[in-house]
Amino acid sequence: MRILSKLAVTTVAAASLLLGTAVAPATATAATGPAIDVTSVKVTPSNGRYAINYKTKGYDVRTTVKVGDLSGFGKYWWADIYADVYKGSQRVASKAKLGVVASQNYKSLDQYLEAKNWWGRGDFKLKNVRVVIDHDYDTSTPSITLKDGKYSGGTFKMRSDIDGKLKYGNVIRVTSSGSHKTVKVGLKKFTTSGWHSYSYAKVKVQYKNSTGWHTRKTITLDKSGLRTYKFTASHKYKYRISIAPTTKIAGGTTTATPKI
């Protein structure tokens, strides 16, 4: 986000009038570049996954900025950086905090964004990035908001989790009678109304040999998110299932079974 030169000139001049001070020659230097330039905003899941399985989900927000000459705002000033959260054209949250920059070289640019379950699933973006500057801790002087549409903010995804941590015995069960193997799969997805069967999901039944994991069969779960698959294998292997991600539902693999 660029704070344009013309806007910076107007802002510094307005601040000087409000504070009853003269516009110093250094103001021209401040106007040659942005007072505060937001260069990037990175949003990442706080638990390392693009998925939620409870009512709220945390995202870590890391903002980087360049600070220019803000001498026109007095010796002590601070700037709060905000953005709005959008899902497509729908604004789902306003004034999300991106960071704080203040005089005396103070910066706090690691923030926490709490995403709500009711936002739904899909792709999200931070828009309307703006900087609100206060001067000299003078409550009688109004804040000045600087905003520009050139930098629109970071993007992130929110997907539904699938059956918690995908533990063996919870999602996949494998039994053996000699060379006859039976795989039972039951899978749920977390939606905005709670846990429900992951109906008609396609999953890969995989086994592990000396060269790594291989897909034995891709199966489709039924309406209840269940499926039983039987086959024969003369050797014992570890098994797992693998689920591909979609735009709204996270993928993943279960933990491996013992050798069966």
Side-chain angles (χ1 to χ4, degrees):
M1 180 190 75
R2 304 291 292 180
I3 298 174
L4 303 179
S5 297
K6 183 177 180 181
L7 183 57
V9 171
T10 304
T11 301
V12 174
S16 299
L17 289 172
L18 290 169
L19 293 171
T21 59
V23 179
T27 303
T29 303
T32 60
I36 295 179
D37 180 12
V38 178
T39 58
S40 70
V41 182
K42 186 177 182 180
V43 186
T44 56
S46 59
N47 67 353
R49 298 191 63 193
Y50 293 96
I52 65 172
N53 57 11
Y54 34 85
K55 290 184 179 180
T56 59
K57 166 73 177 67
Y59 285 80
D60 296 322
V61 182
R62 173 64 177 170
T63 304
T64 56
V65 302
K66 292 181 180 178
V67 181
D69 184 358
L70 286 168
S71 57
F73 291 92
K75 183 178 180 181
Y76 299 104
W77 55 266
W78 72 95
D80 295 301
I81 307 170
Y82 299 103
D84 300 327
V85 182
Y86 278 79
K87 180 186 178 185
S89 60
Q90 178 189 12
R91 185 175 67 181
V92 296
S94 59
K95 209 173 182 179
K97 190 72 168 285
L98 302 187
V100 179
V101 180
S103 54
Q104 315 300 314
N105 294 319
Y106 174 80
K107 292 181 181 180
S108 178
L109 297 171
D110 291 307
Q111 299 292 320
Y112 178 84
L113 173 65
E114 185 180 75
K116 302 293 185 178
N117 187 40
W118 66 263
W119 293 1
R121 308 293 183 265
D123 295 328
F124 293 81
K125 189 170 187 176
L126 300 180
K127 298 182 180 180
N128 305 329
V129 179
R130 63 233 187 233
V131 181
V132 181
I133 302 178
D134 285 291
H135 343 245
D136 275 333
Y137 297 92
D138 180 2
T139 56
S140 64
T141 303
S143 302
I144 294 178
T145 299
L146 307 177
K147 54 185 176 181
D148 189 280
K150 187 169 183 180
Y151 184 81
S152 60
T155 60
F156 63 99
K157 295 180 184 293
M158 195 157 81
R159 291 172 172 159
S160 287
D161 213 346
I162 45 176
D163 226 27
K165 296 181 180 180
L166 299 178
K167 293 180 180 179
Y168 164 60
N170 180 39
V171 175
I172 178 175
R173 297 175 178 85
V174 182
T175 57
S176 176
S177 177
S179 61
H180 298 279
K181 318 290 182 182
T182 301
V183 177
K184 292 185 177 182
V185 178
L187 192 60
K188 294 181 179 181
K189 61 181 179 181
F190 188 79
T191 70
T192 54
S193 60
W195 287 101
H196 294 281
S197 299
Y198 194 176
S199 304
Y200 310 117
K202 291 184 182 296
V203 302
K204 294 179 179 180
V205 178
Q206 298 181 325
Y207 67 98
K208 186 178 183 181
N209 61 18
S210 59
T211 61
W213 287 99
H214 306 274
T215 298
R216 179 174 187 90
K217 181 78 171 180
T218 298
I219 60 176
T220 301
L221 307 185
D222 63 17
K223 183 179 180 179
S224 300
L226 304 172
R227 180 70 188 274
T228 297
Y229 166 54
K230 297 182 178 182
F231 62 96
T232 59
S234 56
H235 293 86
K236 290 184 177 181
Y237 298 108
K238 291 183 177 182
Y239 293 92
R240 71 180 187 186
I241 63 168
S242 175
I243 307 100
T246 70
T247 56
K248 294 184 178 181
I249 300 173
T253 56
T254 61
T255 54
T257 71
K259 283 188 175 181
I260 297 173

